[in-house]
Each structure stands twice: as C-alpha cells, then as structure tokens.
Amino acid sequence: MTTSNQALRQWVEATATLTKPDRIHWCDGSDAEYGELVQLMLRRGDLLPLNAETYPDCYLHRSDPTDVARVEHLTFVCTPDRAEAGPNNHWLAPAEARTRMDGLFEGCMRGRTLYVIPYCMGPIESPYARCGVEITDSPYVVANMKLMTRMGRAALQRIEREGRFVRGLHSTGDLNPERRFIMHFPHELLIQSIGSGYGGNALLGKKCHALRIASWQARQEGWLAEHMLILELESPAGEKHYLAAAFPSACGKTNLAMLIPPASMPGWKVRTLGDDIAWLHFDAAGVLRAINPESGYFGVVPGTNAKTNRNAFEMIRHDTIFTNVGLNARNEPWWEDKDKEQPVTDWRGRPWTPGSGPAAHPNARFTVAAHQNASYSPLADDPAGVPISAIIFGGRRRELAPLVYQARDWRHGVLVGAAVASETTAAATGAVGVTRRDPMAMKPFCGYNFADYWGHWLSIDDGSRQLPKVFHVNWFRQGQDGRFLWPGFGDNLRVLRWIVDRCAGRVGARETPIGYLPQPTDLDQQGLALDPAVLDSLLAVDAVSWRREMQDIAAYFAEFGDRVPAGLLAEHRRVVAALG
Ligand code: OXD
Ligand code: MN
C-alpha cells in the first residue's frame, strides 16, 4: 500500500531517510492487521496474554516504569512568537525544536518497522471530522490507534480526496526521560513526539491532534475543540438532551459518560457519545453540534468496578489492552477497588504482598473500542453530530464549589469555565492532590495562549446563535472527616436532571452572586438518603470564601497580562460586586 497523495508520500520518504527503519508498513486498519500486530507483540513480550477464558483477547502491556503518564513539563507548543503559546504552555522556538528533534530522530528506527497510520478524527463522512497521519515505530501505538480511532484505508481515502492532514511523527526512541519531548508546531499542523509510549504522549490523534492542534485550528475557523465527554440523557417521557462536560483528567468523565441511573430513577437512560473529547461546531441554523473525534476509550482502570461503572467494568472483559495493571492468581488483570480478591503480581511484574503498595499503577489504563460499551450511542457515528443543550464544567474541589450552579448567561459561563480549578491526579507526572487552575479543563491541552482562547470562547456569542446553557458541578466536596459529602456516580443523574429541567425552563432556581443554584427540594431526592444538613452545605455559597476565590482568579488572569479579554474582566468585576 502507498498513496496518491504526493505530500504524504514525500513526508514518509523523508522521515524514513531520517529515522532509517528496516521496513515501512502502511496500516490498512483491518482486523487481520491488528491480529498480526498482537501476535508480534506477544512474541516480543510487549504484550502478555491474559486469562483467555475470562478475558478473551485481552492483553497486558507493562510500560517502562518511568513512562506511565503524560509529561506536561516535556510538552511544548512551538510558535514563532512566544506570546502565541502563552504562559499556559511550555514554549520553544520552532527552529530550535526542529533541530533538537531531528537530532533525536536521526537513525532512531534502525532495526524497527516504520508504521504509517492514516486516521480520521470523527465519523469518516462527517464534515466536522479531520484527518491525520501518525508515523510511529511502536506496534503498541498502532494497536491502540486501531482501538481508539477510525484508522486505515477509509481514512487514507479521505486524505486523498481532501488533500489535508495533520502530520504526527512518533518514536519510542530509547525511552530515556532525558530524551523525551512532545512538540507541537500549530502553524505547520505538525506534531513530533519521542521517548515515550504512553497514551497521551504517543497516540498522537488524541491529546496532541484532537486537542492541542485542533484547538488552534478551531480558533481560526470558528469552532471549539474541547476536553469534554458527550452524553445523551433520555427522560422517562422520551425527551432527549445532549450534554457536553469538561473535567480535568481522572475526574470521572468516563464514569459520567457511562452513568447507570439509580434504581430510584426508573425510566431514565444515559447513552455515551464520548468520554474525553468533543469537537463543537455551529450548524447553518446556529445550533451547536458535537462530535466525538475518537472511537474508543483510554480510561483509568483503578476504581472501576460493578458499582462505580458497570458499563466500563463489563466492556473491558474482552478485546481490551490493559496497561500497567496487576495480576491475580488466575492471570486476570487486577487493580485497586476491582474486587475483594488479592493480586499476586504488581504492574511491574514483581510479586505482590500486602504492604507492597498498589498492585496497579494509579494511572493504569484500558484501551477499548467504543462499541463494546453497552451504553454506546450509535449517534456517535452520525456525521451531523448531536445538538448540545448544556455545557458543564467541573473540578475536583474539596471545598468551596457547590454541587451545581448555573451561569447567568454565556459570558458568565466563559468566566465559570475559565475559573475551573482542580486537584491534580496521577494522569500526569507530578504531585497529586495540589489545587491548580485548569480553565475549561484544558490546562494541559490548549494549543495557544489561554487569554486568546477565552476571547475565542466569548466571540462564540455573536447574537445570532442558540447557545447552550452553562453549568458548574463538583462531585468531590468533603466533610471535616475527609469523607465525600455527595454519593456521586449514578446519583449524579439527580444533578443532570436539574440541569436539563433548567434547559427546558421547567424548574426555578435560587439566584446567588455566583449564579443560579437549585433549591434543595428541586433536586430529585427519591431514594437518596442524604442528611438535609449535608445537602444544605453542598448547596451553600460562602461569600467570604468566594471573595477569596475571586481574588485568586484575578491573580491567575493577571499572569496573562493585557491579553485577557476585557469582557472576561468585566464579568469578573460583576461577580465581585455581587459578592459585596
Ligand atoms: C486522558 C487525560 O488520558 O486527560 O484522557 O490524561
Ligand atoms: Mn482526558
């Protein structure tokens, strides 16, 4: 296989000249090709077979122990002007980055196969979808891309039709963290990544293309590329709403997207369109429509069980690649909070004994095709996408942020999104549990200056469009004793129900300086044994703490200097004044 697209052919040839692979393989995306890659990785020990009876066609990959998460400190946006990348990104001048990367790529594929992966982010026939080509020397990356994206022959045909694609060059290099870099060149629609095999660093269609490069393109073209799940909520009366929700990494997007309604809310249905990324475009009628550019899930495994996410728990029982989980005595994958059993081997392949720490790495992952999810919505394959009723922002906040509140209007919603903060998790290398600002949950993923990004969000309201309502939720409030105040998981549907009732204009709200909150009686509490005092504290707005929060937000905005849009600052002043 090769291609009629001359630019692609030349790029593959030039890359081969630089990296010197033993052979070149153009991926067709077939099941047979996936099967051959799996056999190759089993022979090489890159994959280990799991119990074929209880976990058919499931495999374990153990990564290099230094290569287990995204590396934000080694991820760069390389724009000619440093200010374009903004204080939210690490920056290198494009020429310097190219020289550094060329040095590292030189001869890096000797003895290896160079795989060419044409892929399409979004349904192949969708006008909102975009194509890319990833070159990699990692069969693990190819197999993951097969599960996560629409890749191979059909994507290549679209590239040949359109003549446009994002280029991504990846090599695992020598896996030395000293020689690990993930570079983005938005002006050239180019990504270069070396030294890591980990998902967000190596599956270039995901964070690198569908968020960093796409967010850049989206600003130029008037759409939004966001770190959001997409779900369909159907009421017992058959009314359907589509919601897009942005949460920082490992804050439960996958669980919310696959929510199973509590028994006390019969007739409600939740279907999953996406669990991580949404591309949002206005259609000709001014309606905001969402597609999920991915077609698989790369989810956090620890904590997944029949209670927290039965859909995920079941979908990863077959045809799944596990990365960095432990094993039990039956050679089944094992992770913390899976079940009452004990593991025998940890994620590094060492014998596990009580006291030897977690058996699975806290950022252990599953990779699985989306259609294996019992709650999968076929609309995820609809080229037209789905109309979005509400955008929801959320963070992991022990204190302060109430369970839910609604922004007054779009401009206030942009402030609410820009002010998202969350405690860090194991999805990225670095300290866990530190509160940091994570605007729109895009801190690690926005491919340009956040100040310009907020301006882009504000510009979405051009007066002629049907804008979704904007909300903020917080499932993670804790009491003095450190216990979570809200049960979360399926019970989050009670909050989603209030949100769609607000969208439909069916329920009132309490107006506060930070936005509209539900009256406790407005939340569906049927079957929820929650102490009324706890619900009161979940719905309280403490003016003193919020004044402090607004100061903190102002200090954060100040880091972006005079690029911060006046409209955002005016909105901030409005809320401060309302807080008195
Ligand atoms: C992810 C992340 O893997 O956000 O989705 O880190
Ligand atoms: Mn994510």
Side-chain angles (χ1 to χ4, degrees):
M1 202 164 121
T2 175
T3 178
S4 60
N5 183 297
Q6 204 186 338
L8 175 54
R9 228 175 31 235
Q10 282 171 354
W11 176 55
V12 171
E13 279 160 19
T15 303
T17 305
L18 176 68
T19 59
K20 306 193 173 40
D22 280 9
R23 65 197 82 76
I24 297 179
H25 175 93
W26 287 73
C27 299
D28 63 14
S30 62
D31 293 344
E33 180 180 76
Y34 178 81
E36 281 160 26
L37 285 165
V38 166
Q39 290 311 316
L40 173 76
M41 287 189 278
L42 287 170
R43 283 199 299 279
R44 289 179 11 168
D46 291 347
L47 289 185
L48 301 171
L50 292 168
N51 187 318
E53 264 160 49
T54 51
Y55 282 83
D57 299 307
C58 290
Y59 305 97
L60 166 62
H61 173 73
R62 290 195 184 119
S63 78
D64 183 282
T66 69
D67 186 30
V68 292
R70 284 183 293 99
V71 281
E72 293 177 14
H73 58 298
L74 303 174
T75 300
F76 292 79
V77 169
C78 309
T79 44
D81 173 8
R82 181 178 201 144
E84 272 181 290
N88 45 306
N89 282 301
H90 298 289
W91 175 85
L92 261 185
E96 192 186 333
R98 292 296 286 266
T99 308
R100 185 184 298 185
M101 295 303 271
D102 279 356
L104 295 171
F105 281 126
E106 168 69 43
C108 69
M109 297 192 188
R110 271 198 193 92
R112 304 182 185 178
T113 299
L114 178 158
Y115 297 94
V116 184
I117 315 171
Y119 62 85
C120 182
M121 300 312 286
I124 296 266
E125 298 307 328
S126 174
Y128 307 133
R130 296 298 175 91
C131 290
V133 178
E134 174 164 358
I135 292 179
T136 181
D137 54 10
S138 161
Y140 169 79
V141 165
V142 182
N144 276 267
M145 287 290 282
K146 157 83 173 158
L147 298 177
M148 297 288 301
T149 67
R150 297 160 176 92
M151 63 85 120
R153 208 174 282 279
L156 183 60
Q157 280 163 2
R158 177 164 169 164
I159 289 170
E160 289 172 346
R161 255 190 340 262
E162 284 186 328
R164 283 191 304 170
F165 62 97
V166 169
R167 289 176 297 158
L169 171 54
H170 168 257
S171 169
T172 47
D174 61 5
L175 291 175
N176 184 330
E178 301 285 311
R179 289 184 284 280
R180 180 175 297 159
F181 296 102
I182 295 95
M183 304 282 189
H184 302 76
F185 304 86
H187 286 263
E188 298 159 65
L189 303 185
L190 172 69
I191 304 152
Q192 294 190 334
S193 165
I194 192 157
S196 168
Y198 173 77
N201 304 328
L203 313 179
L204 301 185
K206 192 173 177 66
K207 304 300 188 180
C208 301
H209 176 165
L211 288 176
R212 296 195 192 95
I213 298 289
S215 62
W216 167 277
Q217 288 181 295
R219 176 173 175 237
Q220 275 158 357
E221 297 165 10
W223 52 285
L224 295 166
E226 299 298 327
H227 191 204
M228 292 177 177
L229 66 90
I230 311 165
L231 66 79
E232 175 184 300
L233 185 54
E234 183 178 339
S235 74
E239 182 181 305
K240 288 182 183 170
H241 284 273
Y242 301 92
L243 313 179
F247 298 85
S249 309
C251 283
K253 282 205 299 299
T254 305
N255 293 344
L256 186 62
M258 299 178 189
L259 183 150
I260 294 182
S264 51
M265 292 181 75
W268 287 86
K269 295 191 186 87
V270 172
R271 299 187 190 91
T272 318
L273 283 104
D275 80 327
D276 196 40
I277 302 179
W279 283 0
L280 303 156
H281 290 77
F282 286 96
D283 66 15
V287 173
L288 191 63
R289 307 193 73 89
I291 62 161
N292 172 13
E294 304 187 280
S295 60
Y297 312 120
F298 180 67
V300 177
V301 193
T304 305
N305 60 47
K307 281 214 178 94
T308 58
N309 189 340
R310 197 176 68 228
N311 286 321
F313 193 59
E314 275 161 19
M315 84 183 166
I316 59 178
R317 292 298 295 253
H318 66 100
D319 296 280
T320 300
I321 298 179
F322 290 91
T323 300
N324 293 337
V325 293
L327 291 171
N328 70 13
R330 290 187 303 279
N331 197 38
E332 293 169 337
W334 196 90
W335 54 86
E336 276 56 38
D337 290 335
K338 180 187 184 193
D339 51 34
K340 294 209 162 46
E341 287 192 24
Q342 295 235 320
V344 295
T345 309
D346 79 0
W347 62 280
R348 297 178 68 169
R350 301 174 301 199
W352 184 91
T353 48
S356 56
H361 186 277
N363 193 36
R365 296 280 176 150
F366 56 73
T367 319
V368 65
H371 59 77
Q372 289 191 192
N373 169 14
S375 69
Y376 180 70
S377 166
L379 289 176
D381 290 311
D382 187 334
V386 291
I388 294 297
S389 301
I391 287 178
I392 304 171
F393 294 113
R396 186 182 278 273
R397 303 279 316 246
R398 249 167 272 190
E399 294 169 344
L400 186 79
L403 179 62
V404 58
Y405 60 101
Q406 180 188 358
R408 289 162 64 98
D409 53 20
W410 184 259
R411 186 163 95 159
H412 183 211
V414 176
L415 173 67
V416 167
V420 166
S422 193
E423 292 150 27
T424 50
T425 66
T429 302
V432 169
V434 181
T435 302
R436 71 165 182 181
R437 294 272 150 218
D438 194 346
M440 281 81 173
M442 283 286 276
K443 164 73 188 72
F445 309 121
C446 182
Y448 63 101
N449 192 318
F450 257 153
D452 300 341
Y453 169 81
W454 301 324
H456 178 48
W457 264 81
L458 289 171
S459 76
I460 291 295
D461 185 8
D462 72 355
S464 72
R465 293 163 162 169
Q466 297 169 41
L467 297 173
K469 305 255 183 291
V470 181
F471 297 81
H472 187 283
V473 299
N474 179 18
W475 317 134
F476 299 98
R477 281 286 293 278
Q478 290 174 20
Q480 307 284 5
D481 56 2
R483 274 203 282 180
F484 288 110
L485 297 182
W486 177 248
F489 302 106
D491 286 308
N492 292 339
L493 179 58
R494 302 174 192 280
V495 173
L496 300 187
R497 175 174 184 181
W498 184 75
I499 288 175
V500 298
D501 282 348
R502 287 293 292 167
C503 292
R506 266 194 299 264
V507 66
R510 178 165 73 93
E511 189 168 356
T512 78
I514 65 161
Y516 301 112
L517 272 84
Q519 307 283 0
T521 47
D522 288 338
L523 280 182
D524 184 337
Q525 291 183 57
Q526 186 84 24
L528 177 75
L530 197 64
D531 181 340
V534 170
L535 191 55
D536 283 348
S537 55
L538 281 166
L539 296 176
V541 178
D542 176 42
V544 176
S545 314
W546 271 99
R547 270 186 229 117
R548 219 177 305 124
E549 174 75 354
M550 294 311 287
Q551 274 173 13
D552 197 67
I553 294 166
Y556 178 66
F557 287 169
E559 291 174 26
F560 295 82
D562 56 14
R563 248 173 137 111
V564 181
L568 192 63
L569 296 175
E571 193 57 27
H572 181 272
R573 281 194 301 275
R574 188 193 61 73
V575 175
V576 170
L579 282 163

